[in-house]
Amino acid sequence: TEARTLKTAAPSLDRSLSPSPSTERGPGGEVAPAPTSNPQHPTPIRRTILFIDEIHRFNKAQQDAVLPYVEDGTVTLIGATTENPSFEVIGPLLSRSRVFTLKALEEPQLAELLRRALTDPDRGLGNLNVEMDDAALEALAASVGGDARIALNALEAAVMSVTSGVGDQGLGDGEEADPRSPQTIPSPNSPSLKSERDARQRGRGSPEPSPTPNTQPPTPARVTRAVIEEALQHRTYLYDRQGDAHYDTISAFIKSLRGSDPDGALYWLARMIEAGEDPLFIVRRMVILASEDVGLADPQAMSVATACQQAVHFIGMPEGFYPMAECALYLALAPKSNSVGASYGRALADVEATRNDPIPMHLRNAVTGSMKGMGYGRGYQYAHDYEGGVAPDQAYLPDRLKGRKYYVPRPLGREKDLADRHAQAQTNRPSPPPPQQFRSGTPHNAPGSPQVLND
């Protein structure tokens, strides 16, 4: 429990609340704390633990209101939250706190907890004479996602269903409810039977012999796996579309796709779909991955991912899992290349690190005579005028960045062929054609030619 964890992890809390030599005991034995030296509190105060459950529901202003009392020691704050405290608790409070993570219980721990609940007569269900199959107990422990509260609630619902006398849930095949069950026959010493015997004695004038109590123990009710499944209704998925599980699961899914593991990708995809995740959110991440991690190694991946988005949007759920699973398998099995993002990152670094260099004049478009007179488009080599569609010695970067290489291909999949063509274009540039060469019956940059040809 939270209290036990905190007491074990922070024994100083327990010591701070124990009587110290500076405390005094009153006439009734109560502990009177020693006067505090806090100048803000002229009268003695008692140290107080302030426990705030679901502290993430407090907004920034509300958490700020607690801060000064934590700082001066008026209260020892203990906050509990199911969210990530790094995002939900303000920095000043978080910096003055110790964070303890309460992890989900393992199945053996849950099974032990359920056994205690079944046998404990004071704090559990031990006085109801109920037995539980091992298979049912294991199924319950495996179906609650490590949450003891869900497990205990489901156990209580299952036990109540087999001890309420409604139907024959929890009974073995062919069995009937035992009329000697303690829930159907009162005890011989119960007040109702005792008063009835006294009335008969007063009416007849002579005592009647007390009925012989039934010494045969009642047949215990049985909780089977079928009863547990009925009590649970459906498997519990600890998933919050706005919390850590949302981001952690999609992270596992994307990493499985990137790592070319179709089995892992299908598993995490199924978990998200069954937990109610927005399918378009999943598909959107697959479209990103098709470019980021598959890229030019298989350009068809982008078409598959966008087609998946259209299909899911068109047919909806639950049938939408078909195109989603197909797309996930395709992306997982496709060759991988991150050259797109890496190349863009290198270009972006130069954009941010260098000055805003002017665009070379030969790359500008001369849309007016005045611009042409200023030299716009002068010296531009139209690529289709040359063999292979590559203009020799044509520079496409500012003068200060000539020779920079941003695109570094990876020889994987389809990108290997693209890389070979790129290398050939860079090393085997043909000689420029004669200046009078024409194309499509129109001289290059001749009057009246479409201006778009300069682009």
Side-chain angles (χ1 to χ4, degrees), residues 134-150:
D134 289 340
L137 189 143
E138 293 172 0
L140 177 55
S143 301
V144 296
D147 193 316
R149 182 185 305 175
I150 299 176

Side-chain angles (χ1 to χ4, degrees), residues 94-444:
L94 197 60
S95 65
R96 291 163 174 79
S97 306
R98 296 177 62 187
V99 178
F100 300 93
T101 302
L102 305 182
K103 298 182 179 180
L105 297 177
E106 300 293 336
E107 291 182 19
Q109 296 171 325
L110 286 169
E112 178 63 25
L113 184 68
L114 294 171
R115 291 190 184 95
R116 292 179 186 174
L118 279 173
T119 56
D120 191 327
D122 299 324
R123 297 178 298 174
L125 307 169
N127 58 349
L128 295 181
N129 193 23
V130 176
E131 291 181 352
M132 188 172 183
D133 298 344
D134 289 340
L137 189 143
E138 293 172 0
L140 177 55
S143 301
V144 296
D147 193 316
R149 182 185 305 175
I150 299 176
L152 292 174
N153 287 339
L155 175 64
E156 183 178 16
V159 169
M160 292 300 103
S161 69
V162 299
T163 58
S164 62
V166 179
D168 54 4
Q169 281 185 315
L171 300 177
D173 295 337
E175 294 184 8
E176 296 182 356
D178 193 333
R180 298 184 301 272
S181 171
Q183 282 73 42
T184 57
I185 295 181
S187 169
N189 296 322
S190 64
S192 58
L193 288 182
K194 186 176 180 180
S195 60
E196 185 178 345
R197 289 197 301 270
D198 293 343
R200 286 200 300 268
Q201 291 172 3
R202 288 193 299 270
R204 297 182 180 180
S206 60
E208 265 189 15
S210 300
T212 303
N214 187 358
T215 59
Q216 184 177 358
T219 302
R222 289 171 51 196
V223 177
T224 63
R225 182 165 185 161
V227 177
I228 291 297
E229 292 175 354
E230 179 65 23
L232 281 173
Q233 294 295 320
H234 59 84
R235 186 182 179 91
T236 301
Y237 299 96
L238 298 181
Y239 192 91
D240 183 357
R241 289 173 59 175
Q242 301 298 326
D244 284 355
H246 165 80
Y247 297 103
D248 292 343
T249 310
I250 193 65
S251 176
F253 174 62
I254 294 300
K255 287 179 172 64
S256 299
L257 294 176
R258 182 183 298 128
S260 300
D261 186 349
D263 301 313
L266 286 175
Y267 172 78
W268 297 115
L269 174 65
R271 271 187 56 162
M272 287 188 290
I273 292 176
E274 291 304 309
E277 182 58 83
D278 180 6
L280 292 181
F281 165 76
I282 302 173
V283 175
R284 183 165 58 249
R285 295 302 301 269
M286 288 196 285
V287 172
I288 297 171
L289 181 133
S291 180
E292 178 185 2
D293 294 299
V294 178
L296 296 177
D298 185 359
Q300 183 67 20
M302 178 65 73
S303 300
V304 172
T306 52
C308 174
Q309 184 272 334
Q310 292 294 318
V312 173
H313 181 73
F314 178 66
I315 65 178
M317 299 300 286
E319 291 84 356
F321 80 86
Y322 283 113
M324 295 172 72
E326 179 182 352
C327 180
L329 288 173
Y330 187 95
L331 295 177
L333 298 173
K336 305 296 189 297
S337 172
N338 68 342
S339 63
V340 172
S343 301
Y344 179 81
R346 285 186 282 269
L348 178 61
D350 266 357
V351 169
E352 295 176 342
T354 61
R355 68 183 187 182
N356 188 20
D357 289 323
I359 299 172
M361 297 299 289
H362 67 279
L363 297 180
R364 302 188 188 189
N365 191 22
V367 296
T368 66
S370 173
M371 297 170 70
K372 186 175 181 180
M374 295 171 61
Y376 280 45
R378 184 178 299 163
Y380 171 67
Q381 299 175 1
Y382 187 69
H384 295 289
D385 285 344
Y386 303 92
E387 183 180 354
V390 178
D393 302 324
Q394 179 76 72
Y396 296 97
L397 287 171
D399 292 340
R400 287 165 48 88
L401 298 177
K402 282 184 178 179
R404 294 295 182 94
K405 299 294 182 184
Y406 302 126
Y407 173 60
V408 180
R410 300 194 66 186
L412 298 171
R414 172 64 176 145
E415 190 169 14
K416 184 178 184 302
D417 299 333
L418 299 176
D420 292 342
R421 181 185 180 281
H422 174 67
Q424 182 180 5
Q426 296 298 312
T427 58
N428 299 325
R429 289 175 177 264
S431 300
Q436 292 79 15
Q437 183 173 353
F438 296 92
R439 73 178 188 283
S440 302
T442 304
H444 183 52

Side-chain angles (χ1 to χ4, degrees), residues 79-90:
T81 176
T82 56
E83 305 298 330
N84 190 329
S86 300
F87 303 127
E88 303 296 338
V89 179
I90 61 175

